[in-house]
Amino acid sequence: MSISDDAEPTLVDVLDRLLDRGVVIYGDARVSVADVDLLFLGVKVVLSSIDTIEDARAALIAKLAA
Amino acid sequence: MSRLMLHGALRTGALVAPPEGCVLVGEGALTLVCSPLAAALDDADQAARFALAHNRILASIAADIDIAPVAFGGVAENEAEARTALREQRLALEAALLRIRGCVEYSARISARQGAGLQERGPSEAAPPEEAEARTGRSYLAARGQVRAAKRSRAELLGQLFEQAEARLGAHARETLRRPLPPAAVDAPARLFDIALLVERERAPALIAAGAEVYALADALGVTFEISGPWPAYHFADGRLDHGAAQEGAAA
């Protein structure tokens, strides 16, 4: 059985978990990679569809893991 | 004061000193763990570094203290804005902390073996007969039927494995959540099963022991099983304003 509890997790594993997760708190950060806005937090508004997030997540993981 | 990247929220007083490079911004019963943000997150490499740092900071705290992750990319212009955010999102953050109280997150995955690709062929499954070997149409159809039956049987066995995995691991978790599977890739083992588990910290050893049982079942079917964690409670701290949880939190 493989269990990862000591080693630093990979970028792919981290991104796979933290993107589109967590409590949304307003701010004006824009995380934009591969010409896709992953999260735009403007005055308590999150502008993204589930499809967009999934597509962007896949693109981001592919790009950053390369 | 520079802009602040927001990592997570915890109960005021739960954390005596922030992780290196972080600051604590408190408002009433809640406190945000933040980092000074000098640059925008418009660059892929920058975003990657911040993502890793975000997880590292949260994980270092979540190992012992309940912390509700803030959505990655959350930013406050200054401490005053961070406090305003705490006031305005108090219910969502209280709900998140109530839900994850005493817990961390684990992940369990079952994947096809490296090289098996999408076919998920187990060690005992024979390769389908070559069509050229079939002498007659009848024998060809019979061979095809055997292949289909074998695939159905394997699919059923895998389905039973997934149910067993969720049941055995879920017995040690407060909540489980099946995660959607990523699209199949030609250069990576297919992910067949993926769940997130919200586990009380003291029950982690029992979860790992149950994982060993699932590993044996998965190995017998020729697939790979792995558990990772503890993670911050990413999948369970979404701040849903569950009516019951909100009332319970308000009464606490």
Side-chain angles (χ1 to χ4, degrees):
Chain A
M1 178 176 72
S2 169
I3 172 155
S4 309
D5 58 359
D6 295 323
E8 185 80 10
T10 64
L11 175 62
V12 171
D13 283 340
V14 168
L15 292 175
D16 190 38
R17 286 170 174 81
L18 69 81
L19 289 181
D20 193 29
R21 306 269 181 253
V23 181
V24 175
I25 292 185
Y26 74 78
D28 63 354
R30 172 173 292 157
V31 182
S32 175
V33 181
D35 299 324
V36 175
D37 286 346
L38 300 181
L39 292 169
F40 175 63
L41 305 178
V43 195
K44 309 174 215 177
V45 176
V46 175
L47 302 176
S48 70
S49 68
I50 291 176
D51 289 343
T52 301
I53 284 291
E54 289 298 328
D55 291 345
R57 178 188 291 120
L60 174 61
I61 289 174
K63 181 171 181 175
L64 296 181
Chain B
M1 185 71 178
S2 61
R3 300 171 83 206
L4 298 170
M5 167 166 276
L6 313 177
H7 298 296
L10 40 73
R11 302 211 180 276
T12 298
L15 187 64
V16 176
E20 185 177 347
C22 295
V23 295
L24 301 180
V25 178
E27 177 70 15
L30 297 176
T31 291
L32 279 169
V33 180
C34 314
S35 296
L37 180 61
L41 295 176
D42 288 337
D43 174 77
D45 290 338
Q46 184 80 305
R49 285 196 294 275
F50 272 102
L52 289 171
H54 180 74
N55 179 71
R56 192 181 310 122
I57 290 166
L58 286 169
S60 70
I61 298 171
D64 301 300
I65 297 169
D66 296 343
I67 182 164
V70 168
F72 175 61
V75 169
E77 287 299 318
N78 46 50
E79 288 192 15
E81 188 168 287
R83 291 194 179 89
T84 300
L86 278 174
R87 284 196 301 273
E88 296 189 354
Q89 298 299 325
R90 183 181 65 84
L91 282 181
L93 292 169
E94 290 278 7
L97 286 169
L98 179 65
R99 186 180 181 190
I100 68 171
R101 65 198 182 282
C103 295
V104 286
E105 181 174 310
Y106 279 82
S107 167
R109 292 178 177 172
I110 296 173
S111 306
R113 287 271 164 86
Q114 192 79 26
L118 303 176
Q119 297 179 6
E120 310 158 32
R121 187 171 300 146
S124 60
E125 184 177 332
E130 293 292 336
E131 292 184 12
E133 294 176 359
R135 296 182 181 180
T136 66
R138 183 175 297 178
S139 59
Y140 170 76
L141 289 174
R144 293 277 292 178
Q146 289 175 3
V147 170
R148 281 196 296 270
K151 285 185 177 177
R152 274 200 304 274
S153 175
R154 179 157 179 81
E156 288 170 1
L157 288 173
L158 285 174
Q160 291 169 7
L161 171 63
F162 303 156
E163 290 177 6
Q164 278 288 310
E166 189 159 3
R168 290 179 186 236
L169 299 175
H172 304 284
R174 182 180 296 168
E175 291 186 50
T176 63
L177 179 69
R178 282 223 190 180
R179 301 186 64 213
L181 301 176
V186 294
D187 57 349
R191 193 181 304 172
L192 309 174
F193 173 81
D194 192 340
I195 58 171
L197 302 118
L198 186 65
V199 180
E200 293 174 14
R201 291 183 183 87
E202 58 268 23
R203 299 196 71 177
L207 176 80
I208 302 305
E213 299 173 0
V214 177
Y215 173 80
L217 296 174
D219 190 53
L221 282 179
V223 292
T224 301
F225 172 75
E226 56 185 347
I227 289 182
S228 65
W231 294 93
Y234 290 122
H235 287 83
F236 302 97
D238 57 8
R240 292 177 310 171
L241 291 182
D242 175 74
H243 183 66
Q247 286 187 323
E248 189 176 345

